[in-house]
Amino acid sequence: MSKKEKINAFRGSLVIPGGRVGVLLVHSLGGNPVELRFVAQGLARQGCTVYCPLVPGLGGGTDTSGLSSWQDWYAALEGAHDELKAHCDVIVVGGISAGSMLALRLARERASEVDGLLLFAPTIWPNGWAIPLHFNLFALVYHKWVASMMRLRQRAPYGIKDERIRNFVIESFKSEGRPLEDLFGRGGGLVWEFKALARDVKRRLREIPQHAAIFHPREDDQSDISNAFRLQRELGGVVEVTVLDDSYHMVTLDRQRSIVVDRATEFVQRLTQKIEEKAAVARLVKGKGIAE
C-alpha cells in the first residue's frame, strides 16, 4: 500500500497494510487494539490489510466525560469500515467481547459490504463465573444517569488464565502510566450503553447472513459460552464454533492464541477462495451470455 493509499486511522489504532482482502477488528469494552495484535499480525502475514481502530468512547480512557453513546461507537466503526472499503475488495469484520456486538451490527446494516465475521468470546451479556452475582442487578437499571453513578469492577483472573501473560498485561498498563482502574473497572454509564447496544443486536440476529467463525473458551470467566451457542443458533448464516479448553475470556491473548490465529487465518483464506470462485463462475456465465 503506497503512502497515497494509506488508511486514515483513528489515533491509537493498529493498522497493518496489505492486499485487497481487508479485516476490520473491534476491541473490547474499555479495551484497546493491543488485545487483537496477535490475530492482526497473523492475518497480515497472509497478505491481508488489517485495521483495528481505537473506537472513541468504547476504548479505555477515550470518554472521560461519560457522554458517548453506543450510536457514537457504531458511527465511528462505520467510518472505519468506509476507510477500509476504499482499499479492499473483500472485507471481514470481527471483534472481541463487547466489540463483537458492534461487528454484528455492522454486518447487519451493511450486509452487502461485509463478507464474513470473526467473533472472539462474543458477549451478549457478561455472565461468566468471575462476574459478581450483584452485577445481575444492573439489568434493572433503566436510566443512564443512575448507571453513571455506579462503578463496576472486574475480579481476578481478569479474562486471562495464563498468570505470566496476566502479569505482563498489568505491568504494561503501569509502564504506560495508565491507571489500573482502566483495566479492572468499568463505568456504569459505559456498561449501560453496551447493554443498549446488545439489546439492539440480539433482537435481529436472524438478519445477519454472513458466514461466521466464533472462538469461545469453555470456562470463560467473563462471558459464559452460552453467548456463543445463542449466536450459533440464531444468526442467519453458517456459523462455525471453536471451543477452547485452556483459555479464559481474552482468547486473542491467552494460552491458546496460536490456535485462534491459525484458525482465524484459515477461515479468512477459505472465505476469500469461495468468494473468488463465485466471482469466476459469474464472469463465465456472463461471458457465455454475451457470446450467445
Side-chain angles (χ1 to χ4, degrees):
M1 187 181 293
S2 69
K3 197 169 184 179
K4 186 177 180 181
E5 298 173 319
K6 187 176 180 181
I7 289 176
N8 183 23
F10 298 121
R11 185 176 181 180
S13 299
L14 172 62
V15 179
I16 308 179
R20 302 298 294 182
V21 176
V23 184
L24 179 63
L25 300 175
V26 190
H27 58 78
S28 67
L29 189 73
N32 64 68
V34 173
E35 301 165 346
L36 296 155
R37 183 181 63 183
F38 291 112
V39 175
Q41 291 172 337
L43 291 164
R45 284 194 293 270
Q46 299 302 317
C48 297
T49 295
V50 187
Y51 183 13
C52 306
L54 178 61
V55 180
L58 181 72
T62 62
D63 183 26
T64 54
S65 66
L67 296 178
S68 75
S69 67
W70 71 263
Q71 290 91 343
D72 296 327
W73 311 340
Y74 178 70
L77 184 61
E78 282 192 322
H81 179 241
D82 288 338
E83 189 68 31
L84 187 61
K85 187 173 61 173
H87 300 88
C88 299
D89 302 317
V90 174
I91 294 183
V92 177
V93 177
I96 181 168
S97 190
S100 62
M101 292 297 105
L102 280 174
L104 286 167
R105 193 176 200 277
L106 185 70
R108 186 189 78 201
E109 297 300 311
R110 298 188 170 187
S112 63
E113 299 173 353
V114 174
D115 298 290
L117 284 161
L118 286 169
L119 307 175
F120 307 102
T123 303
I124 299 172
W125 186 247
N127 58 351
W129 55 264
I131 299 296
L133 289 177
H134 67 261
F135 187 83
N136 293 324
L137 296 176
F138 193 87
L140 302 176
V141 178
Y142 296 102
H143 300 285
K144 186 176 181 178
W145 67 270
V146 176
S148 298
M149 294 188 291
M150 304 169 67
R151 185 74 182 175
L152 305 170
R153 289 185 58 84
Q154 293 190 56
R155 287 164 45 183
Y158 311 116
I160 302 175
K161 187 173 186 177
D162 190 295
E163 186 175 356
R164 179 182 60 84
I165 297 173
R166 189 189 318 136
N167 290 336
F168 177 79
V169 170
I170 292 173
E171 290 304 317
S172 296
F173 262 71
K174 290 180 180 178
S175 65
E176 293 172 6
R178 297 176 61 186
L180 289 182
E181 185 65 16
D182 284 355
L183 180 62
F184 300 146
R186 299 289 181 269
L190 188 70
V191 177
W192 190 92
E193 289 292 346
F194 168 68
K195 182 178 75 168
L197 167 65
R199 184 167 58 245
D200 174 86
V201 172
K202 67 185 179 182
R203 69 187 182 195
R204 296 170 60 189
L205 290 172
R206 294 288 181 194
E207 298 175 31
I208 302 173
Q210 292 86 352
H211 192 162
I214 298 176
F215 303 85
H216 210 110
R218 179 177 288 118
E219 299 178 357
D220 195 321
D221 60 317
Q222 303 294 316
S223 173
D224 187 78
I225 198 170
S226 59
N227 286 265
F229 292 154
R230 177 172 181 176
L231 293 176
Q232 186 181 41
R233 288 194 308 270
E234 298 187 25
L235 286 174
V238 175
V239 181
E240 305 175 17
V241 177
T242 297
V243 178
L244 302 165
D245 64 355
D246 195 24
S247 292
Y248 288 159
H249 188 59
M250 302 303 292
V251 297
T252 55
L253 293 175
D254 214 344
R255 290 176 178 171
Q256 294 177 294
R257 62 183 181 274
S258 60
I259 294 175
V260 173
V261 171
D262 290 346
R263 296 193 181 182
T265 301
E266 187 272 336
F267 172 78
V268 173
Q269 289 176 326
R270 186 158 35 92
L271 183 68
T272 303
Q273 183 179 358
K274 185 177 179 181
I275 292 170
E276 291 173 347
E277 290 173 352
K278 187 176 179 179
V281 170
R283 287 193 299 270
L284 182 62
V285 171
K286 184 178 180 181
K288 284 185 177 180
I290 293 173
E292 292 172 357

